[in-house]
């Protein structure tokens, strides 16, 4: 997924031949997290030999789209670009991530049970991540070794992990994290 970036600076003019303010440009993929960054660029003024430094605010298309919606009572599918913003938006809520693949038999067996858990625990955010080629970087970042793996996060950190389609272990882990 590519991000669209908008640049804006009150001190830059289109006559500076760098870019025009608020003009969207394509910079390509910006890693797993989307955040506001500041770029610095020296600009040579006409008729002066001095250089000045301008600050340009860079906003990703995900930031411009508005706030991230956190849904409870159902399982939301995430990818490498949407996972961390949703986890951050969840705040103090417990987040349970089902890391699966399309070809995994045990993943298919536990998926309906995982959906039922999301309907029972309305104070928990349930997410699922298809660990395909596109999301490989996030799966690696989260330390995926086998599927299915369930990661339980609290305050933006993984605090518990359940490997395999073990529903009883998953329920116990969720209850443990909720009570702490």
């Amino acid at each position: 997924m590519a991000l669209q970036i908008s640049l804006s600076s009150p001190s830059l003019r289109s006559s500076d031949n760098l870019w025009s303010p608020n003009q969207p440009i394509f910079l390509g993929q910006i890693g797993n997290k989307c955040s506001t960054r500041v770029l610095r660029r020296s600009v040579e003024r006409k008729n002066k030999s001095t250089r000045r430094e301008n600050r340009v605010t860079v906003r990703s298309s995900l930031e411009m789209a508005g706030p991230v919606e956190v849904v409870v009572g159902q399982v939301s599918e995430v990818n490498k670009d949407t996972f961390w913003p949703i986890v951050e938006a969840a705040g103090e809520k417990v987040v349970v991530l089902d890391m699966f693949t399309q070809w995994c038999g045990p993943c298919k067996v536990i998926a309906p049970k995982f959906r039922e858990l999301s309907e029972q625990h309305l104070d928990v955010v349930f997410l699922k991540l298809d660990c395909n080629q596109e999301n490989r970087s996030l799966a690696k970042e989260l330390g995926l070794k086998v599927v299915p793996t369930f990661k339980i996060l609290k305050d933006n950190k993984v605090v518990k992990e359940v490997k395999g389609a073990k529903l009883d272990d998953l329920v116990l882990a969720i209850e443990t994290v909720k009570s702490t």
Side-chain angles (χ1 to χ4, degrees):
M1 174 182 206
L3 297 177
Q4 181 178 339
I5 307 296
S6 286
L7 299 172
S8 63
S9 171
S11 63
L12 287 179
R13 299 178 311 272
S14 55
S15 62
D16 288 332
N17 292 326
L18 293 173
W19 54 75
S20 33
N22 298 321
Q23 174 187 356
I25 63 169
F26 177 72
L27 293 179
Q29 185 175 328
I30 314 247
N32 293 336
K33 294 186 180 179
C34 298
S35 62
T36 303
R37 300 170 193 252
V38 176
L39 296 179
R40 296 169 197 242
R41 171 103 181 201
S42 295
V43 178
E44 190 171 327
R45 285 184 143 187
K46 294 179 182 178
N47 302 328
K48 290 191 178 181
S49 60
T50 61
R51 290 183 173 245
R52 69 171 190 222
E53 195 171 89
N54 286 305
R55 289 181 176 243
V56 179
T57 304
V58 178
R59 295 181 59 210
S60 74
S61 58
L62 292 176
E63 290 173 320
M64 292 184 279
V68 176
E69 185 179 354
V70 177
V71 181
V72 293
Q74 68 183 37
V75 179
S76 302
E77 188 156 357
V78 294
N79 61 40
K80 63 182 173 43
D81 296 320
T82 60
F83 174 70
W84 286 113
I86 290 174
V87 169
E88 289 172 12
E92 295 181 8
K93 287 187 171 121
V94 174
V95 177
V96 182
L97 175 65
D98 175 9
M99 301 175 75
F100 73 99
T101 60
Q102 295 293 327
W103 50 263
C104 168
C107 298
K108 292 176 183 178
V109 170
I110 200 162
K113 297 171 185 171
F114 187 70
R115 200 171 316 111
E116 288 174 15
L117 282 177
S118 73
E119 294 165 0
Q120 295 168 2
H121 296 273
L122 297 178
D123 55 342
V124 176
V125 178
F126 286 83
L127 306 174
K128 65 179 182 175
L129 174 72
D130 187 354
C131 297
N132 56 19
Q133 187 69 27
E134 181 181 316
N135 296 317
R136 175 179 267 177
S137 59
L138 178 58
K140 186 175 181 180
E141 178 184 340
L142 293 172
L144 179 68
K145 302 284 184 212
V146 299
V147 288
T149 293
F150 299 92
K151 301 281 184 171
I152 303 173
L153 297 93
K154 189 169 186 178
D155 298 323
N156 298 336
K157 294 179 184 154
V158 177
V159 292
K160 287 263 187 209
E161 174 181 88
V162 176
K163 292 181 180 178
K166 303 172 186 167
L167 184 63
D168 294 337
D169 292 352
L170 179 59
V171 172
L172 179 63
I174 292 170
E175 293 296 333
T176 304
V177 172
K178 281 174 54 174
S179 65
T180 59

